[in-house]
């Protein structure tokens, strides 16, 4: 079968059509007022509980106990006492906030660094049992992390690492590596082989190719996974309470919030303020790295 050839009249008509006109027509067909209205309604319904929680965190304790947050519009009263109590009072979330930062940053840098090296090796280096090892790494994703918590904890206790940040760093690295290697490997395989061959012809070795060619090309993918890993570690509770084993000086913010919720569940003025203290850093990270996040999600969707 041969492809249909446009008639001369059709070719002349297509030549006179502006590209912007074609784009405008496509956009008009793909969007509508009803779709925009539905998206707006969903966004409002999704954001409303968060707005209510934010407003509650600034309301006086007595108002929180006696009325809902929507009553603020008829009796607007705001205070910073809740945040003062959470950060500097008996709750003292500031220490746990710092602990979360100390736990999260190495738990992102270590697995991402190891995954980049391993992904490049699986994608562009030849060694015995390469495919078998890659399948084994990929298969580790199906192992529930709950199964490995207690055996890992016993290893940490025997190695005298209990009570330090090392169990948290190592555990988060172990649980993140299978998915990180799998994702970054797929992105690195999308790099054209001709580019790699040209670099080898110019005398570049694996170290030079990795640092000067591969890492710059897959930076959006690395940044996207780093953001995911940051959010997973920052919001983690299960690994934190298991590996910290009651040592308050290494517990993250989520562990303290869970304890506060369990022992003082009626103190909504502290829980709401503590919740927004815990999301400050993730929001900042996402806002400043949003463009890398979107580029990382779209990387590899269009081949050049």
């Amino acid at each position: 079968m041969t492809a249909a050839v446009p008639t001369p009249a059709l070719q002349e008509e297509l030549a006179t059509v502006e590209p912007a006109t074609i784009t405008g027509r496509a956009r008009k067909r793909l969007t509508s007022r009803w779709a925009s209205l539905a998206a707006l309604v969903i966004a409002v319904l999704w954001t409303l509980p968060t707005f209510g929680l934010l407003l509650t965190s600034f309301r006086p304790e007595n108002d929180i106990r006696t009325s809902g947050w929507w009553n603020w519009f008829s009796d607007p009263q705001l205070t910073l006492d809740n945040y003062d109590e959470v950060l500097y009072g008996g709750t003292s979330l500031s220490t746990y906030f710092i602990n979360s930062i100390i736990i999260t940053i190495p738990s992102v840098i270590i697995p991402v660094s190891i995954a980049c090296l391993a992904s490049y090796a699986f994608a562009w280096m030849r060694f015995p049992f390469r495919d078998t090892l890659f399948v084994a790494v990929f298969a580790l994703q199906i192992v529930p992390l709950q199964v490995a918590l207690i055996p890992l904890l016993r290893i940490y206790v025997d190695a005298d690492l209990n009570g330090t940040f090392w169990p948290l760093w190592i555990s988060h690295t172990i649980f993140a590596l299978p998915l990180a290697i799998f994702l970054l490997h797929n992105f690195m395989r999308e790099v054209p082989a001709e580019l790699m061959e040209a670099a080898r012809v110019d005398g570049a070795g694996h170290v030079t190719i990795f640092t000067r060619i591969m890492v710059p090309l897959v930076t959006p993918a690395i940044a996207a996974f780093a953001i995911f890993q940051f959010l997973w570690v920052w919001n983690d509770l299960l690994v934190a309470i298991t590996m910290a084993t009651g040592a308050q000086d290494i517990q993250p913010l989520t562990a303290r919030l869970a304890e506060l919720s369990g022992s003082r569940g009626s103190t909504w003025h502290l829980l709401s303020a503590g919740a927004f203290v815990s999301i400050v850093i993730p929001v900042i990270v996402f806002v400043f790295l949003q463009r890398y996040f979107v580029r990382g999600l779209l990387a590899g969707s269009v081949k050049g």
Side-chain angles (χ1 to χ4, degrees), residues 70-178:
W70 51 88
N71 290 288
W72 176 85
F73 295 99
S74 59
D75 183 21
Q77 295 186 21
L78 297 177
T79 179
L80 294 175
D81 293 342
N82 301 335
Y83 286 92
D84 183 68
E85 174 66 20
V86 162
L87 292 174
Y88 307 109
T91 306
S92 185
L93 287 185
S94 57
T95 301
Y96 298 91
F97 187 87
I98 296 175
N99 288 345
S100 291
I101 296 177
I102 296 175
I103 293 170
T104 304
I105 293 178
S107 298
V108 173
I109 295 176
I110 296 174
V112 169
S113 301
I114 298 175
C116 288
L117 297 172
S119 300
Y120 176 81
F122 282 123
W124 296 104
M125 296 178 66
R126 296 185 179 275
F127 53 90
F129 306 106
R130 182 187 65 173
D131 295 337
T132 304
L133 290 174
F134 181 74
V135 172
V137 171
F138 176 73
L140 289 175
Q141 297 183 64
I142 67 175
V143 178
L145 63 88
Q146 294 85 350
V147 176
L149 289 178
I150 300 303
L152 282 175
L153 182 59
R154 294 184 61 181
I155 295 175
Y156 299 145
V157 172
D158 295 338
D160 199 22
L161 296 176
N162 193 29
T164 66
F165 288 107
W166 281 105
L168 293 166
W169 294 337
I170 297 174
S171 299
H172 285 301
T173 298
I174 292 173
F175 298 141
L177 277 178

Side-chain angles (χ1 to χ4, degrees), residues 163-285:
T164 66
F165 288 107
W166 281 105
L168 293 166
W169 294 337
I170 297 174
S171 299
H172 285 301
T173 298
I174 292 173
F175 298 141
L177 277 178
L179 180 59
I181 293 174
F182 175 72
L183 293 178
L184 295 180
H185 167 270
N186 292 341
F187 283 108
M188 290 185 181
R189 288 295 299 175
E190 293 294 329
V191 176
E194 294 80 4
L195 182 61
M196 309 294 291
E197 293 175 0
R200 293 192 183 97
V201 169
D202 292 337
H206 286 297
V207 175
T208 303
I209 294 174
F210 175 77
T211 56
R212 296 188 179 183
I213 298 178
M214 191 61 64
V215 172
L217 289 176
V218 299
T219 294
I222 296 173
F225 181 81
I227 294 173
F228 275 123
Q229 177 68 2
F230 185 95
L231 297 178
W232 290 332
V233 176
W234 185 272
N235 295 321
D236 169 72
L237 176 62
L238 179 61
V239 177
I241 61 177
T242 303
M243 299 305 170
T245 61
Q248 295 185 355
D249 54 340
I250 63 172
Q251 285 186 347
L253 188 58
T254 52
R256 179 55 180 162
L257 288 177
E259 181 181 346
L260 181 65
S261 176
S263 60
R264 304 166 69 178
S266 61
T267 55
W268 288 105
H269 63 294
L270 298 182
L271 292 175
S272 57
F276 271 90
V277 169
S278 67
I279 69 173
V280 169
I281 297 296
V283 168
I284 293 175
V285 169

Side-chain angles (χ1 to χ4, degrees), residues 29-50:
R29 292 180 179 180
L30 294 175
T31 60
S32 65
R33 294 181 179 179
W34 291 109
S36 301
L37 179 61
L40 179 62
V41 171
I42 293 174
V44 171
L45 294 177
W46 188 274
T47 310
L48 191 61
T50 305

